[in-house]
Amino acid sequence: MTDSAPPVVDARGHRCPVPSLRLRKALTARPGEEHFVLLATDPMARIDVPFLMAELGGRVLEITADGDVLRITVERRAVLTG
């Protein structure tokens, strides 16, 4: 685990399914990273990204909005608690 900022996947201006596809590509290209930030302007990303992360065994940590830009922070794997 590193202290550096997570990679940012910029999908602003693109419609579904591009934001999810770009996030999936980033997850594949950077296997050592656990956290990613997706920037998207398509409101469907609020629905699509949680579905994608559940499918991949990860989770959405946070969704915030600044105007029409969504900032979605995801974690590759859900932390297991006992």
Side-chain angles (χ1 to χ4, degrees):
M1 184 153 118
T2 65
D3 291 333
S4 63
V8 174
V9 179
D10 190 346
R12 292 176 288 184
H14 294 279
R15 306 288 294 168
C16 176
V18 175
S20 291
L21 293 174
R22 285 195 176 177
L23 179 58
R24 181 188 290 267
K25 184 176 180 180
L27 288 163
T28 301
R30 300 186 71 168
E33 297 286 344
E34 291 300 317
H35 298 95
F36 292 80
V37 172
L38 173 69
L39 301 177
T41 50
D42 182 0
M44 287 301 295
R46 284 186 184 270
I47 298 166
D48 295 340
V49 172
F51 180 78
L52 171 67
M53 295 311 295
E55 179 183 309
L56 298 176
R59 65 181 177 163
V60 172
L61 298 176
E62 180 178 48
I63 299 175
T64 59
D66 184 9
D68 65 344
V69 177
L70 295 172
R71 181 181 176 90
I72 304 172
T73 305
V74 301
E75 182 177 58
R76 183 185 300 275
R77 289 190 243 359
V79 176
L80 300 177
T81 59

